[in-house]
């Protein structure tokens, strides 16, 4: 049943990410073409600054999810309702704090950006973009956590597929009608309010949440052990654009956004394959099935590294041709940045390969034991990015992110190997060596045989297919040579799941 649920979540998650990637390429391109790089830069900058709200909820998401595994496995409706009530009460407080944050931020940010836009223009844009974030915290996040802990993320994927497509259609219509950026973003905000409202209704109905239960105050006391993890995630997601906004300009932010949108999209595609397995490991851990957990983790680990090797090999080869083709006709800033493309791609790869180790640490609830590594990751990213941005610009902030991601990935792998599954670190090191070798060989061979001067989508697709064939061949060969037993186990579980379905 766990494998079947993971398979369903994987398929639905993949469909959503494919839709999100396609729509995520269409909409920014429309904004770039219609409004220009400055407008693209300011909307991206506002969105990243608004994500500061993530710090207010620091820790509660991971702790709530870990706390839900046991009562879900036991079918304890009372305990589930207690955890949901505690989490929702906390999220309500965050939503109210967010309102105050928006008022202050809209004033401060509008004057900070007054050299490019009027204060009233900027302040109202901030308020509009914040609407969907407020709705998410006030209505949806608690129930998204619940669905995720029960391997039911497929529900969330389907509603997001619908709203993502609807948002792209609405925004395209508004842009074609020559509406301003405020109207376009307001349309998007209202469409995305559908997500939290639907998830709240569905989850409460499915799990028959009891309202008159006592809140679990222990849950909130434990959340402080997870604060460092949320802070690190926030810093690594937002440091680059914040540093560029302060030390560079909105044009550089726009360039960064074009590349970062792809990195985020690629990461989401990879996580759509593997997110469905996290709750399955939580169920195994709750039932103390450690031997089974170790065997399945080897397969999980192999899937992640194989996907990262293939997808990021293609990304590193075809990134600059994509950026040039995507921004064709936009001449107010140079979008071809080869070195930046390589560095940010490697940073993205390391942010993905940490996922299996991070998931097991979360499942085990070892937040306190790993929080110092999270603080160090945040410090590394901020310090290196600020020191290097003046001289190296985009490349400087990308180096900061890469170093921080490498450090944190190693820290997670070492801790998990010594304290959760207790296994040799050579297993992790071997995966890293093979992954980097595949990316390097694909780049050497790919840049020799592929015409990177792509002046059409068709030529770019052909180049990406060639790079994909090279990386796929290398990955298959290395997987069969070094991980044959794990490959065999994966296909065995997949076939059994399909047969049962």
């Amino acid at each position: 049943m766990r494998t079947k649920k993971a398979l369903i979540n994987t398929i639905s998650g993949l469909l959503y990410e494919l839709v999100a990637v396609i729509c995520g390429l269409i909409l920014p391109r429309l904004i770039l073409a219609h409004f220009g790089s400055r407008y693209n830069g300011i909307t991206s900058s506002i969105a990243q600054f608004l994500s500061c709200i993530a710090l207010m909820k620091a820790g509660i998401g991971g702790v709530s999810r870990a706390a839900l595994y046991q009562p879900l496995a036991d079918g304890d409706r009372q305990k589930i309702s207690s955890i949901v009530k505690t989490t929702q009460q906390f999220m309500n407080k965050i939503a109210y704090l967010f309102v105050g944050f928006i008022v202050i931020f809209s004033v401060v940010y509008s004057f900070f950006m007054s050299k490019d836009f009027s204060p009233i223009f900027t302040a109202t844009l901030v308020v509009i973009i914040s609407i969907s974030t407020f709705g998410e915290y006030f209505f949806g996040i608690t129930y998204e956590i619940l669905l995720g802990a029960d391997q039911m993320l497929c529900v969330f994927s389907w509603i997001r597929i619908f709203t993502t497509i609807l948002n792209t259609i609405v925004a395209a219509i508004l842009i074609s009608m020559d509406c301003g950026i405020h109207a376009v973003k307001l349309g998007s905000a209202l469409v995305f309010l559908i997500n939290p409202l639907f998830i709240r209704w569905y989850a409460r109905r499915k799990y028959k949440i009891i309202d008159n239960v006592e809140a679990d105050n222990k849950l909130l006391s434990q959340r402080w052990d997870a604060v460092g993890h949320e802070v690190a995630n926030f810093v690594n997601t937002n440091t680059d654009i914040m540093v560029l906004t302060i030390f560079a300009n909105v044009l550089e932010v726009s360039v960064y956004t074009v590349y970062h949108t792809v990195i985020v999209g690629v990461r989401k595609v990879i996580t759509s394959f593997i997110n469905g397995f996290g709750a399955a490991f939580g169920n195994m851990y709750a039932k103390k099935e450690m031997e089974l957990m170790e065997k399945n983790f080897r397969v999980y680990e192999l899937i992640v590294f194989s996907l990262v090797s293939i997808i990021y090999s293609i990304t590193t080869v075809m990134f600059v041709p994509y950026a040039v083709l995507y921004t064709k006709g936009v001449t107010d800033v140079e979008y071809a940045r080869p070195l930046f493309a390589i560095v940010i791609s490697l940073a993205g790869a390391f942010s993905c390969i940490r996922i299996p180790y991070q998931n097991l640490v979360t499942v085990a609830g070892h937040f306190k034991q790993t929080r110092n590594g999270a603080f160090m990751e945040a410090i590394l990213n901020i310090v290196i990015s600020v020191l290097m941005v003046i001289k190296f610009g985009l490349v400087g902030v990308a180096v900061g992110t890469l170093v921080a991601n490498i450090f944190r990935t190693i820290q997670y792998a070492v801790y998990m190997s010594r304290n959760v599954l207790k296994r040799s670190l050579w297993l992790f090191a071997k995966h890293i060596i093979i992954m980097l070798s595949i990316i390097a060989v694909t780049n050497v061979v790919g840049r020799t045989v592929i015409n990177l001067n792509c002046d059409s989508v068709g030529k770019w697709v052909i180049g990406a297919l060639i790079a994909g064939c090279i990386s796929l061949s290398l990955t298959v060969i290395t997987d069969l040579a070094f991980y044959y037993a794990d490959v065999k186990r994966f296909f065995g579980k997949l076939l059994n799941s399909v047969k049962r379905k």
Side-chain angles (χ1 to χ4, degrees):
M1 180 58 72
R2 287 181 299 219
T3 303
K4 179 180 176 180
K5 281 187 174 182
L7 182 60
I8 294 172
N9 284 332
T10 297
I11 294 172
S12 58
L14 177 60
L15 288 174
Y16 164 69
E17 297 304 346
L18 290 175
V19 169
V21 167
I22 293 170
C23 293
L25 295 177
I26 293 173
L27 194 50
R29 170 62 190 177
L30 291 175
I31 293 174
L32 267 173
H34 190 79
F35 296 106
S37 295
R38 282 184 170 82
Y39 284 84
N40 185 50
I42 191 174
T43 54
S44 300
S45 178
I46 290 171
Q48 292 288 33
F49 274 99
L50 288 181
S51 62
C52 287
I53 188 66
L55 291 179
M56 297 182 190
K57 72 173 181 66
I60 192 67
V63 170
S64 296
R65 189 177 296 107
L68 281 165
Y69 289 134
Q70 191 68 56
L72 283 169
D74 298 338
D76 188 343
R77 183 179 161 210
Q78 189 82 11
K79 183 65 174 177
I80 292 170
S81 298
S82 177
I83 295 171
V84 167
K85 183 172 184 177
T86 306
T87 306
Q88 187 58 50
Q89 286 178 347
F90 187 79
M91 292 300 176
N92 290 347
K93 293 176 183 177
I94 292 177
Y96 296 134
L97 288 172
F98 184 57
V99 173
F101 171 81
I102 289 302
V103 172
I104 297 171
F105 175 68
S106 61
V107 174
V108 174
Y109 189 78
S110 61
F111 283 102
F112 182 72
M113 298 299 295
S114 60
K115 61 183 178 181
D116 294 294
F117 302 96
S118 72
I120 293 177
F121 175 96
T122 306
T124 51
L125 189 59
V126 168
V127 172
I128 288 171
I129 294 176
S130 69
I131 291 174
S132 58
T133 303
F134 175 83
E136 182 182 0
Y137 280 87
F138 196 76
F139 297 112
I141 285 184
T142 297
Y143 301 97
E144 182 184 345
I145 292 170
L146 175 58
L147 291 172
D150 197 30
Q151 287 189 277
M152 290 296 294
L153 280 178
C154 56
V155 177
F156 195 46
S157 296
W158 286 114
I159 187 62
R160 285 195 295 180
I161 288 172
F162 170 74
T163 52
T164 301
I165 294 174
L166 180 61
N167 171 61
T168 305
I169 294 172
V170 169
I173 291 173
L174 291 173
I175 291 174
S176 68
M177 294 171 63
D178 205 27
C179 294
I181 190 68
H182 291 76
V184 173
K185 288 301 176 181
L186 179 60
S188 295
L190 295 177
V191 167
F192 284 124
L193 277 178
I194 296 173
N195 286 341
L197 292 172
F198 175 82
I199 290 299
R200 178 187 175 90
W201 170 81
Y202 177 86
R204 289 186 64 83
R205 183 169 173 267
K206 174 178 173 60
Y207 296 99
K208 297 179 174 59
I209 300 300
I210 305 169
D211 290 318
N212 59 340
V213 294
E214 292 293 325
D216 184 0
N217 293 322
K218 275 187 177 180
L219 191 66
L220 289 179
S221 65
Q222 294 172 26
R223 85 176 185 89
W224 294 108
D225 292 330
V227 167
H229 302 267
E230 295 285 350
V231 171
N233 180 62
F234 168 79
V235 169
N236 281 295
T237 303
N238 300 283
T239 291
D240 293 357
I241 283 185
M242 289 184 178
V243 170
L244 288 171
T245 300
I246 295 170
F247 294 98
N249 54 61
V250 291
L251 291 176
E252 289 297 283
V253 172
S254 181
V255 175
Y256 178 89
T257 302
V258 168
Y259 284 88
H260 188 249
T261 298
V262 175
I263 294 298
V264 170
V266 168
R267 191 178 195 276
K268 287 181 176 179
V269 168
I270 292 173
T271 55
S272 69
F273 277 101
I274 59 181
N275 268 350
F277 295 94
F281 284 110
N283 185 269
M284 291 178 213
Y285 191 81
K287 295 181 177 181
K288 309 302 180 186
E289 300 172 343
M290 300 307 293
E291 184 177 347
L292 178 63
M293 190 173 173
E294 197 280 332
K295 290 179 180 178
N296 286 335
F297 182 79
R298 289 176 63 96
V299 176
Y300 181 42
E301 185 180 34
L302 178 63
I303 292 171
V304 173
F305 273 93
S306 297
L307 286 172
V308 170
S309 298
I310 295 168
I311 296 177
Y312 276 97
S313 291
I314 301 171
T315 303
T316 51
V317 175
M318 302 303 300
F319 215 164
V320 172
Y322 156 80
V324 172
L325 185 61
Y326 182 74
T327 58
K328 188 176 181 179
V330 181
T331 58
D332 49 2
V333 66
E334 177 60 59
Y335 281 90
R337 311 287 180 97
L339 182 56
F340 171 66
I342 293 291
V343 178
I344 197 173
S345 295
L346 290 176
F350 274 92
S351 76
C352 289
I353 60 175
R354 77 165 64 172
I355 293 173
Y357 313 104
Q358 182 179 2
N359 279 349
L360 257 64
V361 169
T362 300
V363 160
H366 292 188
F367 300 105
K368 182 177 181 179
Q369 297 90 327
T370 54
R371 67 184 178 188
N372 289 340
F375 291 136
M376 182 57 68
E377 178 187 24
I379 292 169
L380 282 171
N381 201 346
I382 293 172
V383 172
I384 295 174
S385 295
V386 171
L387 289 177
M388 297 188 69
V389 67
I390 302 297
K391 185 173 182 179
F392 300 104
L394 288 172
V395 175
V397 295
V399 168
T401 302
L402 173 60
V403 172
N405 281 349
I406 291 174
F407 167 80
R408 187 63 167 149
T409 299
I410 293 174
Q411 195 255 351
Y412 265 128
V414 170
Y415 182 86
M416 190 281 298
S417 299
R418 290 177 177 173
N419 299 279
V420 181
L421 286 184
K422 303 186 186 304
R423 62 185 205 146
S424 172
L425 281 171
W426 168 243
L427 296 171
F428 165 72
K430 186 166 70 170
H431 274 297
I432 292 288
I433 294 170
I434 292 173
M435 178 196 74
L436 293 177
S437 299
I438 290 172
I439 293 175
V441 173
T442 301
N443 271 265
V444 171
V445 177
R447 293 174 188 276
T448 303
V449 301
I450 299 172
N451 180 13
L452 298 180
N453 296 316
C454 305
D455 56 5
S456 68
V457 175
K459 290 182 180 179
W460 187 91
V461 170
I462 291 172
L465 288 173
I466 295 173
C469 289
I470 296 170
S471 60
L472 176 61
S473 300
L474 292 170
T475 302
V476 169
I477 291 170
T478 53
D479 283 355
L480 291 175
F482 296 101
Y483 306 103
Y484 179 76
D486 296 327
V487 171
K488 185 178 179 181
R489 181 175 179 80
F490 167 69
F491 281 106
K493 291 180 71 66
L494 184 63
L495 288 173
N496 288 336
S497 178
V498 172
K499 287 177 181 178
R500 284 198 302 268
K501 187 175 179 181

